[in-house]
Amino acid sequence: MMNQRQWISHQNSRGIHTLSALSELSVGTTAVVESLDLPDEIGHHLMHMGFAPEARVVVIRRAPAGDPTVYSIDGFEIALRRETACHIRVRPQQEGPR
Amino acid sequence: MSDCCSTDTGVALLESPVVAPRTPGKIRTVALVGPPNSGKSTLFNRLTGLRQKVANYPGVTVEQHFGKLSGIGRSDLVLIDLPGIYSLDSYSEDSRVAVDVLHGAMPGTPAPDAVLLVLDSLHLRRQLMLAAPVLSLGLPTLVLLNMSDLMETRGGEADTLALAKELGVPVAKISATRGTGLDAITHFLDSKSHTPQEHPTTRLELPVVGNPRSYRQWATGISTRTKYKAPLSSEWTRKLDKILLHRIWGPLLFLVVVIAVFQVVFTIGQPLSDGMQNILNTAGDKVGALLGHSWVESLLIDGIWKGVAAVLVFLPQILLLFLFIGILEDSGYLARAALIADRVMRSIGLNGKAFIPLLSAYACAVPAIMATRTIENKRDRFATILVAPFMTCSARLPIYILMIAAFIPNRDILGGFLGMRAAVMLSLYVLGFLAAFGTAWLLKSSILKTASAPFILELPQYRLPTVRSLSLRLIDRGGVFLKQAGTIILSVMIVLWMLSHVPFHADLPQSVIGRVGLWIEPVIRPLGFNWKIGIGLLSSIVAREVIVGTLGTLYGADPATQSLSLQAALRHDLTLGGAMALVVFFAFAMQCTSTLAIVKRETNSWRWPALQFAYMSVLAYVAAFATNQIITHLF
């Protein structure tokens, strides 16, 4: 499994559309799920919970301790830890602050 | 998968794997299926009323709820409530159980003849994903769009006719909370039981089984084609979350909730328990007086009645805690609490969902252990169950208070900020907390190490808990506690009574238990305990608070200490080291038959309670030994 930083730079150097890890997005950002970099079992479970390719996800808020983060997907609010969200690749729809 | 039928009888025999033979067209058992938070339990309660039973499925820790469909006048039918699931993939034990029950492969559970699929109409697009695998089972199915009243007031739209056409099965809008639309269920069941089953002549195109991506495309396609319009999301859930999950207000309000719960449990629950104890004791004495002095009276009153009392005394506190946990869970706050606590709980290898159960264990481990069902990850759940009894429960307080009052001078320390007695009490609480967290960390880095199960927490919308569902929950949980703990405590009490009364007409020290107490004295001597404490420890295997009564009896019968109060008698007989070793022993030891019974039920095996008992006893012995040695050498 690739580290999220590795594949971000990888994509950028090739000049293809910018991908980010879901965990990198700031609060308020909307993004579209691209792919899940997780073992099938977990990936499928997340997909059943809404994190499937082409699903629109909005970063709602972070927990008071800064992690986990609450995401809105399909009208549901689901919290994921950074350690999970960093394996979900997304295409940000609006530029979050860099 | 769904187009096989025997035309000569006109009865459809639907193909489904490993299904036990069914009588075609005859419905006896109905399964209730739905995702978590779809309002499935509310509907189950609505349909079965009080006539429901709870058990564990064999071999797993998943709870089985079933009951007669008396809520809609069909007491001849049995409704099985399956665990809330997102899919029929075997990600969790819950979905494995659901698949087995639906296939009729669960031993002891009849194969369902029909399915009620509950979907939350507020989020139909995603909820429909579960319809694909459920429909492909080929059982007569009714799809229920729950919370439709809420969906419509928020501007959502769902066309049941169009959906029924797409899905090939009837679809109805209901509201489980209000009880509206339930006649659709009656119609469905009537039509399926009386008329020969018409085959759902669907050219239903179900997606490839087991592929969530195709499920999703299928579900999206259907909701688009049927012009499903999702309602606006609840404004005030977002607004409330802005405060309740606020960086500063969130944790503060969380703390307020926690303190409020405890304040109520101890200021209302404790007097209730004490009152209960008084009533039970008085009743026991009255009945005992009627029976006169005989061994029958002694067995009935000292053995059985005391056993019953030991269970009942904790009922007010346990119910009160369940009420709070129920309010937290039904309102949606429990998930927020888990979100806030996750960061802290992660440091010991658990997740945020373990926080509220562990917190409840400060009052009583029994409801705490039963509340761990919200933790999906089995290893996390077991770790929480195993460490919960370390939290300082209220049954430890009588012996703590007795020993502290007898041995610790009532002096101020830290410049009058804290009393010495309060400081000792506080350190005992901290000790329990450290033991719990240390053990959790140990378990999570050894036998209960989790490979890579992520923490996924769904935050449901805030809802007002209903009196109906809260009271059903109390009856349900209270019943489980009384049944599980009651039966085991009763047998342990009878055995202990026999051991303390054989040979007949002997005093406690001469009885079997007294002799065992004397016999183990060399073992407990290094802890600073004498044989009387030994007997007290043996008798408190039933419940921790029993030791106070036993010590009272023993010191009261001893001519040397007869005239002294129990506190004075203890001071006369024990060193400071021994006394502190005793409270430390109680901080760690697993002297609670109710808890062991509930752990057995929740883990569905005697292995875990046995391991827990052994581990906690060894820890208690070592810690008490160290305490006695250190204090004896220091003072």
Side-chain angles (χ1 to χ4, degrees), chain A residues 41-42 44-50 52-53 55 60-61 64-65 67-68 70 74-79 81 84, chain B residues 86-87 89 91 123 126-127 212-213 215-216 238 241 339 342-343 346 350-351 452 454-459:
Chain A
E41 208 187 9
I42 300 164
H44 282 183
H45 183 61
L46 275 168
M47 282 196 212
H48 279 292
M49 302 211 43
I60 300 289
R61 63 169 53 82
D67 192 39
V70 183
D74 280 351
F76 281 95
E77 298 201 350
I78 291 167
R81 285 182 183 170
T84 311
Chain B
Y86 292 105
S87 69
D89 286 1
Y91 174 74
H123 307 105
R126 189 185 93 183
Q127 300 257 313
R213 196 187 270 220
Y215 285 173
R216 196 185 158 81
R238 287 266 166 99
D241 271 345
L339 187 70
D342 185 57
R343 201 59 206 259
R346 197 187 311 178
L350 293 175
N351 69 49
S452 58
F455 175 61
I456 305 170
L457 178 73
E458 186 171 329
L459 300 175

Side-chain angles (χ1 to χ4, degrees), chain B residues 80 108 111 188 208 215 217 221 311 317 323 470 487 499 573 603 634:
Chain B
I80 307 172
F188 167 74
V208 189
Y215 285 173
Q217 277 161 357
V311 174
Q317 269 197 38
L323 181 67
L470 286 176
T487 44
L499 294 179
D573 216 31
T603 59
L634 282 182

